[in-house]
Short mmCIF file of all heavy atoms in Angstrom, two decimals:
data_model
loop_
_atom_site.label_atom_id
_atom_site.label_comp_id
_atom_site.label_asym_id
_atom_site.label_seq_id
_atom_site.Cartn_x
_atom_site.Cartn_y
_atom_site.Cartn_z
N VAL A 13 226.42 180.62 -5.82
CA VAL A 13 227.70 180.12 -5.33
C VAL A 13 227.52 179.66 -3.89
O VAL A 13 226.95 180.35 -3.06
CB VAL A 13 228.82 181.18 -5.44
CG1 VAL A 13 228.47 182.45 -4.69
CG2 VAL A 13 230.15 180.62 -4.96
N GLY A 14 228.01 178.44 -3.60
CA GLY A 14 227.88 177.85 -2.28
C GLY A 14 227.66 176.36 -2.38
O GLY A 14 227.40 175.83 -3.47
N GLY A 15 227.72 175.66 -1.24
CA GLY A 15 227.56 174.22 -1.28
C GLY A 15 226.71 173.66 -0.15
O GLY A 15 226.56 172.44 -0.03
N GLY A 16 226.13 174.54 0.66
CA GLY A 16 225.32 174.08 1.79
C GLY A 16 223.84 174.06 1.47
O GLY A 16 223.42 174.20 0.32
N ASN A 17 223.03 173.88 2.51
CA ASN A 17 221.59 173.80 2.33
C ASN A 17 221.00 175.07 1.75
O ASN A 17 220.07 175.02 0.94
CB ASN A 17 220.91 173.48 3.67
CG ASN A 17 221.08 172.03 4.08
OD1 ASN A 17 221.33 171.17 3.25
ND2 ASN A 17 220.96 171.75 5.36
N THR A 18 221.53 176.22 2.17
CA THR A 18 221.00 177.48 1.66
C THR A 18 221.24 177.60 0.16
O THR A 18 220.35 177.97 -0.60
CB THR A 18 221.63 178.67 2.39
OG1 THR A 18 221.31 178.58 3.79
CG2 THR A 18 221.11 179.99 1.84
N ALA A 19 222.45 177.29 -0.28
CA ALA A 19 222.77 177.36 -1.70
C ALA A 19 221.89 176.40 -2.50
O ALA A 19 221.39 176.74 -3.58
CB ALA A 19 224.24 177.04 -1.93
N ALA A 20 221.69 175.19 -1.98
CA ALA A 20 220.86 174.21 -2.68
C ALA A 20 219.41 174.67 -2.75
O ALA A 20 218.77 174.58 -3.81
CB ALA A 20 220.96 172.86 -1.97
N ALA A 21 218.89 175.16 -1.64
CA ALA A 21 217.50 175.63 -1.61
C ALA A 21 217.31 176.83 -2.53
O ALA A 21 216.30 176.94 -3.24
CB ALA A 21 217.10 175.99 -0.19
N ASP A 22 218.30 177.74 -2.55
CA ASP A 22 218.23 178.89 -3.45
C ASP A 22 218.21 178.45 -4.91
O ASP A 22 217.46 178.99 -5.73
CB ASP A 22 219.43 179.81 -3.22
CG ASP A 22 219.31 180.62 -1.93
OD1 ASP A 22 218.25 180.55 -1.28
OD2 ASP A 22 220.29 181.32 -1.59
N THR A 23 219.03 177.45 -5.23
CA THR A 23 219.10 176.96 -6.61
C THR A 23 217.77 176.35 -7.03
O THR A 23 217.27 176.59 -8.14
CB THR A 23 220.23 175.92 -6.75
OG1 THR A 23 221.47 176.54 -6.39
CG2 THR A 23 220.32 175.40 -8.17
N ILE A 24 217.18 175.56 -6.15
CA ILE A 24 215.89 174.93 -6.46
C ILE A 24 214.82 175.99 -6.66
O ILE A 24 214.02 175.93 -7.61
CB ILE A 24 215.51 173.95 -5.34
CG1 ILE A 24 216.47 172.76 -5.33
CG2 ILE A 24 214.06 173.48 -5.50
CD1 ILE A 24 216.36 171.88 -4.10
N TYR A 25 214.79 176.98 -5.77
CA TYR A 25 213.81 178.06 -5.90
C TYR A 25 213.99 178.81 -7.22
O TYR A 25 213.03 179.04 -7.97
CB TYR A 25 213.95 179.02 -4.72
CG TYR A 25 213.19 180.31 -4.90
CD1 TYR A 25 211.81 180.34 -4.83
CD2 TYR A 25 213.87 181.50 -5.14
CE1 TYR A 25 211.11 181.53 -5.01
CE2 TYR A 25 213.18 182.69 -5.32
CZ TYR A 25 211.80 182.70 -5.25
OH TYR A 25 211.12 183.87 -5.44
N LEU A 26 215.22 179.19 -7.52
CA LEU A 26 215.49 179.97 -8.73
C LEU A 26 215.22 179.17 -10.00
O LEU A 26 214.84 179.74 -11.04
CB LEU A 26 216.94 180.46 -8.72
CG LEU A 26 217.26 181.52 -7.65
CD1 LEU A 26 218.76 181.69 -7.51
CD2 LEU A 26 216.59 182.84 -7.99
N SER A 27 215.38 177.85 -9.93
CA SER A 27 215.14 177.02 -11.12
C SER A 27 213.70 177.10 -11.58
O SER A 27 213.40 176.84 -12.75
CB SER A 27 215.51 175.56 -10.83
OG SER A 27 214.56 174.94 -9.97
N ARG A 28 212.81 177.46 -10.69
CA ARG A 28 211.39 177.55 -11.04
C ARG A 28 211.04 178.86 -11.74
O ARG A 28 209.97 178.95 -12.37
CB ARG A 28 210.53 177.38 -9.78
CG ARG A 28 210.66 176.02 -9.13
CD ARG A 28 209.50 175.75 -8.19
NE ARG A 28 209.56 176.59 -6.99
CZ ARG A 28 210.17 176.25 -5.87
NH1 ARG A 28 210.78 175.08 -5.77
NH2 ARG A 28 210.16 177.05 -4.83
N ILE A 29 211.89 179.85 -11.63
CA ILE A 29 211.53 181.15 -12.21
C ILE A 29 212.58 181.67 -13.20
O ILE A 29 212.28 182.56 -13.99
CB ILE A 29 211.31 182.21 -11.10
CG1 ILE A 29 212.56 182.36 -10.24
CG2 ILE A 29 210.10 181.87 -10.26
CD1 ILE A 29 212.43 183.45 -9.18
N CYS A 30 213.78 181.10 -13.17
CA CYS A 30 214.84 181.57 -14.07
C CYS A 30 215.00 180.61 -15.25
O CYS A 30 214.65 179.43 -15.16
CB CYS A 30 216.16 181.68 -13.32
SG CYS A 30 216.13 182.91 -11.98
N ARG A 31 215.55 181.14 -16.33
CA ARG A 31 215.76 180.31 -17.52
C ARG A 31 216.81 179.24 -17.24
O ARG A 31 216.64 178.07 -17.61
CB ARG A 31 216.21 181.20 -18.68
CG ARG A 31 216.46 180.44 -19.98
CD ARG A 31 216.58 181.42 -21.13
NE ARG A 31 217.57 182.46 -20.82
CZ ARG A 31 217.58 183.65 -21.41
NH1 ARG A 31 216.67 183.97 -22.32
NH2 ARG A 31 218.52 184.54 -21.10
N SER A 32 217.91 179.63 -16.60
CA SER A 32 218.94 178.65 -16.25
C SER A 32 219.61 179.07 -14.96
O SER A 32 219.69 180.26 -14.64
CB SER A 32 219.98 178.53 -17.37
OG SER A 32 220.77 179.71 -17.43
N VAL A 33 220.08 178.08 -14.22
CA VAL A 33 220.78 178.33 -12.97
C VAL A 33 222.04 177.47 -12.96
O VAL A 33 221.98 176.26 -13.19
CB VAL A 33 219.92 177.97 -11.73
CG1 VAL A 33 220.65 178.38 -10.46
CG2 VAL A 33 218.56 178.62 -11.80
N ARG A 34 223.17 178.10 -12.71
CA ARG A 34 224.41 177.35 -12.53
C ARG A 34 224.80 177.45 -11.06
O ARG A 34 224.96 178.55 -10.52
CB ARG A 34 225.53 177.88 -13.40
CG ARG A 34 226.84 177.10 -13.20
CD ARG A 34 227.99 177.62 -14.03
NE ARG A 34 227.79 177.33 -15.44
CZ ARG A 34 228.81 177.25 -16.31
NH1 ARG A 34 230.06 177.43 -15.91
NH2 ARG A 34 228.57 176.98 -17.58
N LEU A 35 224.96 176.30 -10.42
CA LEU A 35 225.42 176.26 -9.03
C LEU A 35 226.92 176.02 -9.03
O LEU A 35 227.40 175.03 -9.58
CB LEU A 35 224.71 175.14 -8.26
CG LEU A 35 225.19 174.90 -6.82
CD1 LEU A 35 225.01 176.13 -5.95
CD2 LEU A 35 224.45 173.70 -6.21
N VAL A 36 227.66 176.93 -8.42
CA VAL A 36 229.11 176.86 -8.40
C VAL A 36 229.56 176.51 -6.98
O VAL A 36 229.19 177.17 -6.02
CB VAL A 36 229.72 178.21 -8.83
CG1 VAL A 36 231.22 178.22 -8.61
CG2 VAL A 36 229.39 178.50 -10.28
N HIS A 37 230.38 175.44 -6.90
CA HIS A 37 230.86 175.00 -5.58
C HIS A 37 232.35 174.67 -5.67
O HIS A 37 232.79 174.03 -6.63
CB HIS A 37 230.08 173.79 -5.11
CG HIS A 37 230.46 173.31 -3.73
ND1 HIS A 37 230.67 174.17 -2.67
CD2 HIS A 37 230.69 172.06 -3.24
CE1 HIS A 37 231.00 173.47 -1.60
NE2 HIS A 37 231.02 172.20 -1.92
N ARG A 38 233.11 175.07 -4.70
CA ARG A 38 234.57 174.92 -4.76
C ARG A 38 235.04 173.49 -4.52
O ARG A 38 236.22 173.19 -4.71
CB ARG A 38 235.23 175.85 -3.74
CG ARG A 38 234.81 175.56 -2.30
CD ARG A 38 235.41 176.56 -1.35
NE ARG A 38 234.93 176.34 0.01
CZ ARG A 38 235.31 177.06 1.06
NH1 ARG A 38 236.18 178.03 0.89
NH2 ARG A 38 234.83 176.80 2.25
N ARG A 39 234.16 172.61 -4.10
CA ARG A 39 234.54 171.21 -3.87
C ARG A 39 233.81 170.30 -4.85
O ARG A 39 233.01 170.76 -5.67
CB ARG A 39 234.23 170.81 -2.42
CG ARG A 39 235.03 171.62 -1.41
CD ARG A 39 234.86 171.06 -0.01
NE ARG A 39 235.72 171.74 0.96
CZ ARG A 39 235.38 172.81 1.65
NH1 ARG A 39 234.17 173.34 1.49
NH2 ARG A 39 236.21 173.39 2.49
N ASP A 40 234.07 168.98 -4.73
CA ASP A 40 233.43 168.04 -5.65
C ASP A 40 232.21 167.36 -5.03
O ASP A 40 231.68 166.39 -5.59
CB ASP A 40 234.44 166.98 -6.10
CG ASP A 40 235.01 166.17 -4.94
OD1 ASP A 40 234.64 166.44 -3.78
OD2 ASP A 40 235.85 165.28 -5.20
N LYS A 41 231.76 167.88 -3.90
CA LYS A 41 230.59 167.33 -3.24
C LYS A 41 229.94 168.42 -2.42
O LYS A 41 230.62 169.22 -1.77
CB LYS A 41 230.99 166.15 -2.33
CG LYS A 41 229.82 165.46 -1.65
CD LYS A 41 230.31 164.30 -0.80
CE LYS A 41 229.15 163.59 -0.12
NZ LYS A 41 229.60 162.47 0.74
N LEU A 42 228.60 168.47 -2.44
CA LEU A 42 227.89 169.48 -1.67
C LEU A 42 227.88 169.13 -0.18
O LEU A 42 227.91 167.96 0.19
CB LEU A 42 226.44 169.59 -2.16
CG LEU A 42 226.23 170.06 -3.60
CD1 LEU A 42 224.75 170.05 -3.93
CD2 LEU A 42 226.81 171.45 -3.82
N ARG A 43 227.81 170.16 0.65
CA ARG A 43 227.61 169.96 2.08
C ARG A 43 226.12 169.79 2.39
O ARG A 43 225.76 169.37 3.49
CB ARG A 43 228.14 171.17 2.88
CG ARG A 43 229.63 171.43 2.71
CD ARG A 43 230.11 172.48 3.70
NE ARG A 43 229.25 173.64 3.73
CZ ARG A 43 229.31 174.67 2.88
NH1 ARG A 43 230.21 174.64 1.90
NH2 ARG A 43 228.50 175.69 2.97
N ALA A 44 225.27 170.14 1.45
CA ALA A 44 223.83 170.07 1.64
C ALA A 44 223.39 168.63 1.90
O ALA A 44 224.05 167.67 1.51
CB ALA A 44 223.11 170.62 0.41
N THR A 45 222.25 168.49 2.54
CA THR A 45 221.71 167.17 2.83
C THR A 45 221.37 166.44 1.54
O THR A 45 221.11 167.06 0.49
CB THR A 45 220.46 167.27 3.72
OG1 THR A 45 219.53 168.16 3.11
CG2 THR A 45 220.82 167.79 5.10
N ALA A 46 221.32 165.13 1.62
CA ALA A 46 221.16 164.29 0.43
C ALA A 46 219.90 164.60 -0.36
O ALA A 46 219.90 164.55 -1.60
CB ALA A 46 221.19 162.82 0.84
N ILE A 47 218.82 164.93 0.32
CA ILE A 47 217.56 165.17 -0.39
C ILE A 47 217.68 166.36 -1.32
O ILE A 47 217.12 166.38 -2.42
CB ILE A 47 216.39 165.38 0.61
CG1 ILE A 47 215.06 165.39 -0.14
CG2 ILE A 47 216.58 166.63 1.44
CD1 ILE A 47 213.85 165.36 0.77
N TYR A 48 218.46 167.37 -0.92
CA TYR A 48 218.70 168.53 -1.78
C TYR A 48 219.51 168.14 -3.00
O TYR A 48 219.23 168.55 -4.13
CB TYR A 48 219.42 169.62 -1.02
CG TYR A 48 218.53 170.51 -0.17
CD1 TYR A 48 218.84 170.77 1.15
CD2 TYR A 48 217.40 171.11 -0.71
CE1 TYR A 48 218.05 171.59 1.93
CE2 TYR A 48 216.60 171.93 0.05
CZ TYR A 48 216.91 172.18 1.37
OH TYR A 48 216.13 172.99 2.13
N THR A 49 220.55 167.35 -2.78
CA THR A 49 221.43 166.95 -3.88
C THR A 49 220.65 166.22 -4.96
O THR A 49 220.81 166.48 -6.16
CB THR A 49 222.57 166.06 -3.36
OG1 THR A 49 223.32 166.78 -2.38
CG2 THR A 49 223.50 165.65 -4.49
N GLN A 50 219.78 165.29 -4.58
CA GLN A 50 219.01 164.53 -5.54
C GLN A 50 218.06 165.43 -6.33
O GLN A 50 217.89 165.28 -7.53
CB GLN A 50 218.22 163.42 -4.85
CG GLN A 50 217.53 162.47 -5.83
CD GLN A 50 218.50 161.86 -6.83
OE1 GLN A 50 219.52 161.29 -6.46
NE2 GLN A 50 218.19 162.01 -8.12
N ARG A 51 217.43 166.37 -5.63
CA ARG A 51 216.53 167.29 -6.31
C ARG A 51 217.27 168.11 -7.35
O ARG A 51 216.76 168.36 -8.45
CB ARG A 51 215.85 168.22 -5.30
CG ARG A 51 214.80 167.54 -4.45
CD ARG A 51 214.16 168.54 -3.52
NE ARG A 51 213.21 167.90 -2.61
CZ ARG A 51 212.57 168.53 -1.64
NH1 ARG A 51 212.80 169.81 -1.44
NH2 ARG A 51 211.74 167.89 -0.85
N LEU A 52 218.46 168.57 -7.00
CA LEU A 52 219.25 169.37 -7.93
C LEU A 52 219.59 168.58 -9.19
O LEU A 52 219.51 169.10 -10.31
CB LEU A 52 220.54 169.84 -7.25
CG LEU A 52 220.39 170.91 -6.17
CD1 LEU A 52 221.71 171.12 -5.44
CD2 LEU A 52 219.92 172.22 -6.79
N LEU A 53 219.96 167.34 -9.01
CA LEU A 53 220.34 166.50 -10.15
C LEU A 53 219.16 166.23 -11.07
O LEU A 53 219.35 165.95 -12.27
CB LEU A 53 220.94 165.18 -9.65
CG LEU A 53 222.26 165.30 -8.89
CD1 LEU A 53 222.68 163.94 -8.34
CD2 LEU A 53 223.36 165.87 -9.79
N ASP A 54 217.95 166.33 -10.54
CA ASP A 54 216.75 166.06 -11.34
C ASP A 54 216.26 167.28 -12.12
O ASP A 54 215.38 167.16 -12.97
CB ASP A 54 215.61 165.57 -10.44
CG ASP A 54 215.88 164.17 -9.88
OD1 ASP A 54 216.71 163.45 -10.46
OD2 ASP A 54 215.26 163.82 -8.85
N LEU A 55 216.82 168.45 -11.84
CA LEU A 55 216.35 169.67 -12.48
C LEU A 55 217.02 169.87 -13.84
O LEU A 55 218.25 169.84 -13.95
CB LEU A 55 216.63 170.88 -11.58
CG LEU A 55 215.87 170.89 -10.25
CD1 LEU A 55 216.37 172.00 -9.36
CD2 LEU A 55 214.36 171.04 -10.50
N LYS A 56 216.21 170.06 -14.86
CA LYS A 56 216.72 170.13 -16.23
C LYS A 56 217.47 171.43 -16.53
O LYS A 56 218.33 171.46 -17.40
CB LYS A 56 215.56 169.98 -17.23
CG LYS A 56 214.75 168.70 -17.05
CD LYS A 56 215.64 167.45 -17.23
CE LYS A 56 214.79 166.18 -17.14
NZ LYS A 56 215.64 164.96 -17.19
N ASN A 57 217.11 172.52 -15.85
CA ASN A 57 217.73 173.81 -16.17
C ASN A 57 218.80 174.21 -15.15
O ASN A 57 219.16 175.38 -15.05
CB ASN A 57 216.68 174.92 -16.26
CG ASN A 57 215.95 175.14 -14.95
OD1 ASN A 57 215.88 174.25 -14.11
ND2 ASN A 57 215.41 176.34 -14.78
N VAL A 58 219.31 173.22 -14.41
CA VAL A 58 220.35 173.48 -13.42
C VAL A 58 221.63 172.75 -13.83
O VAL A 58 221.61 171.56 -14.16
CB VAL A 58 219.92 173.02 -12.01
CG1 VAL A 58 221.11 173.05 -11.04
CG2 VAL A 58 218.80 173.91 -11.49
N GLU A 59 222.73 173.48 -13.81
CA GLU A 59 224.05 172.91 -14.07
C GLU A 59 224.91 173.14 -12.84
O GLU A 59 224.88 174.22 -12.25
CB GLU A 59 224.68 173.58 -15.28
CG GLU A 59 226.09 173.08 -15.58
CD GLU A 59 226.73 173.84 -16.74
OE1 GLU A 59 226.01 174.63 -17.39
OE2 GLU A 59 227.94 173.68 -16.96
#
C-alpha cells in the first residue's frame, strides 16, 4: 500500500520473489517517478 517511490520499489522487489503482488493506491496516479511506473506496468505478476 502506497504510491511513492518506496511503494513502487518495494513492489518491484517483491515481484521477483512473490507469486503475486497487488499495489494499492488511494489515487488514480502514482507519486513515484515515471521510470518506476513503467517498470510496474511491465511486470506480469503485479496488479
Side-chain angles (χ1 to χ4, degrees):
V13 58
N17 285 338
T18 299
D22 285 354
T23 301
I24 293 168
Y25 168 71
L26 292 167
S27 72
R28 296 198 290 269
I29 58 177
C30 297
R31 180 167 52 203
S32 70
V33 186
R34 179 182 289 204
L35 175 60
V36 172
H37 183 44
R38 60 184 176 179
R39 297 189 175 90
D40 60 359
K41 183 179 180 181
L42 297 177
R43 299 190 312 277
T45 53
I47 190 171
Y48 277 131
T49 301
Q50 187 55 53
R51 287 182 185 176
L52 289 171
L53 295 175
D54 291 340
L55 295 171
K56 303 300 184 185
N57 63 336
V58 169
E59 178 184 351

